[in-house]
Amino acid sequence: MDDTSNGTYLTLDGFVELHKYRYVYFMIMFTVYILIICCNSTIICLIWIHKTLHEPMYIFIAALLLNSVFYSTNIYPKLLADFLSEKQTITYPFCPFQAFIYYSLAASEFLLLAAMSYDRYVSICKPLQYPAIMRKTTVILLLVLAWLVPLCELTVSVVLYANLKICSFTLKGIFCNNSIYSIQCVRSVTLAIYGVFMLLNMALFPLLFILFTYTRILIISYRSSKTVRRKAAQTCLPHLLVLINFSCFITYDIIIVRLESDFPKVARFIMTLIQMISYHPLFNPIIYGLKMKEISKHLKKLLAQVKSH
């Protein structure tokens, strides 16, 4: 621990053989970060530019991809700096802030996926009522709630955490997440109970709602014509793939980090890097770019224009 005039510094102890492979780690993660920014931004711009994509489903996709950009920017710049630094440290005030942004955006992802599942449910199961239900004001309200609710709920946890004393100054990780709870002198029962409440409210309940809506879509599509079944498959499959991928991401975070599973340091480091590379920030634009017909069509036109120049 370093205690300077700038505040308390925590050591990030999750890195493995950094002295040997720091430049390799840096180049891999820097390349991934650039890909994340470029891939997500390209699809967001396509949705912004083309009026045919100004529909609720595509607006929610753009919001989801924008969420991925924010998520990556919260982690990657600091991580890249740590790869090149002699000491991998983070100031104590910034560490809870990074964790706050990290989980706020993760919760927003679930709520955005829930909004998307509701949009698909209304579109397929109640097509005649769709224009009346999914109005512009409804879409804006769902987007605001998806980002605002996690911020409000996590602000309470930050206030509760701020009153706790820390006795350890080493984090078993490469960035700040649930591992910050392991440095407390005494575990707060209030904070633990509130953590369970947030997990239920911002992850489990939205997940159950998503599963319910897609089950209803599946049942109605099965009873309907071949055209309806094709439409359901084309629009719902990408959302389900993203949901499964993101659920794996959250499960890893809870089991390995929050429950402090006895996991070897090397394995934890490798899993964290794989998690950061392969999960939603890079996975989402690839899925939506390839599987969503309208986005794929505009993406191919853009690539054709780039090649012609």
Side-chain angles (χ1 to χ4, degrees):
M1 181 270 290
D2 296 317
D3 199 358
T4 69
S5 59
N6 293 326
T8 302
Y9 280 76
L10 305 176
T11 301
L12 299 169
D13 192 40
F15 295 93
V16 175
E17 298 198 24
L18 198 56
H19 60 287
K20 284 186 180 180
Y21 304 112
R22 68 171 69 246
Y23 297 110
V24 176
Y25 293 150
F26 178 85
M27 288 307 300
I28 291 172
M29 300 310 288
F30 179 74
T31 303
V32 170
Y33 183 49
I34 295 299
L35 284 172
I36 288 169
I37 298 298
C38 291
C39 292
N40 284 282
S41 299
T42 300
I43 296 179
I44 291 169
C45 288
L46 285 175
I47 293 170
W48 178 273
I49 293 167
H50 297 285
K51 289 186 178 181
T52 55
L53 300 179
H54 291 183
E55 297 178 10
M57 178 175 67
Y58 299 112
I59 292 169
F60 287 130
I61 289 173
L64 199 70
L65 299 182
L66 186 62
N67 205 62
S68 296
V69 172
F70 291 153
Y71 166 87
S72 302
T73 304
N74 179 50
I75 296 173
Y76 277 81
K78 175 67 173 73
L79 183 66
L80 292 171
D82 283 336
F83 284 139
L84 300 180
S85 301
E86 289 301 319
K87 290 183 179 181
Q88 290 69 49
T89 59
I90 187 169
T91 59
Y92 179 65
F94 182 72
C95 189
F97 176 75
Q98 187 183 51
F100 169 77
I101 299 297
Y102 176 81
Y103 287 109
S104 177
L105 294 172
S108 294
E109 183 108 357
F110 262 121
L111 295 178
L112 286 169
L113 287 170
M116 292 165 79
S117 70
Y118 177 68
D119 172 71
R120 291 300 82 208
Y121 169 74
V122 177
S123 175
I124 294 168
C125 303
K126 300 179 180 181
L128 298 178
Q129 300 173 42
Y130 184 79
I133 295 174
M134 296 305 295
R135 292 173 297 176
K136 186 179 179 180
T137 51
T138 306
V139 174
I140 293 172
L141 179 63
L142 290 172
L143 288 174
V144 170
L145 288 175
W147 275 309
L148 196 59
V149 170
L151 282 173
C152 293
E153 291 195 8
L154 278 156
T155 298
V156 176
S157 68
V158 170
V159 172
L160 291 172
Y161 187 83
N163 296 322
L164 300 175
K165 292 182 179 180
I166 57 173
C167 287
S168 174
F169 300 92
T170 302
L171 287 177
K172 294 179 180 178
I174 60 177
F175 61 91
C176 295
N177 50 17
N178 266 326
S179 58
I180 63 172
Y181 294 110
S182 64
I183 64 175
Q184 299 168 4
C185 295
V186 179
R187 293 298 178 90
S188 168
V189 177
T190 305
L191 194 58
I193 293 171
Y194 188 72
V196 173
F197 165 77
M198 286 194 298
L199 181 64
L200 293 173
N201 201 32
M202 294 191 294
L204 186 60
F205 292 156
L207 179 62
L208 292 175
F209 176 77
I210 293 166
L211 293 175
F212 169 76
T213 53
Y214 283 125
T215 302
R216 290 290 301 160
I217 290 170
L218 186 65
I219 292 169
I220 291 171
S221 300
Y222 181 76
R223 294 172 181 171
S224 303
S225 64
K226 189 176 180 180
T227 306
V228 174
R229 287 198 294 272
R230 189 184 297 112
K231 179 187 176 184
Q234 285 177 347
T235 59
C236 294
L237 182 60
H239 301 326
L240 285 171
L241 289 173
V242 170
L243 175 66
I244 292 166
N245 180 63
F246 188 65
S247 297
C248 292
F249 162 79
I250 291 297
T251 302
Y252 168 84
D253 188 81
I254 294 170
I255 293 175
I256 303 300
V257 182
R258 187 71 179 97
L259 300 183
E260 297 180 26
S261 303
D262 187 16
F263 218 53
K265 184 178 178 179
V266 175
R268 185 188 289 259
F269 178 67
I270 293 170
M271 283 297 294
T272 302
L273 291 182
I274 292 172
Q275 174 193 29
M276 291 176 64
I277 293 171
S278 63
Y279 284 157
H280 67 292
L282 195 55
F283 185 84
N284 289 1
I286 293 171
I287 287 296
Y288 289 123
L290 295 176
K291 292 293 184 181
M292 299 301 289
K293 189 177 178 181
E294 285 299 311
I295 294 176
S296 180
K297 183 177 72 176
H298 288 295
L299 192 58
K300 286 175 182 176
K301 284 183 181 178
L302 178 64
L303 292 173
Q305 288 174 1
V306 171
K307 284 182 181 178
S308 64
H309 289 295

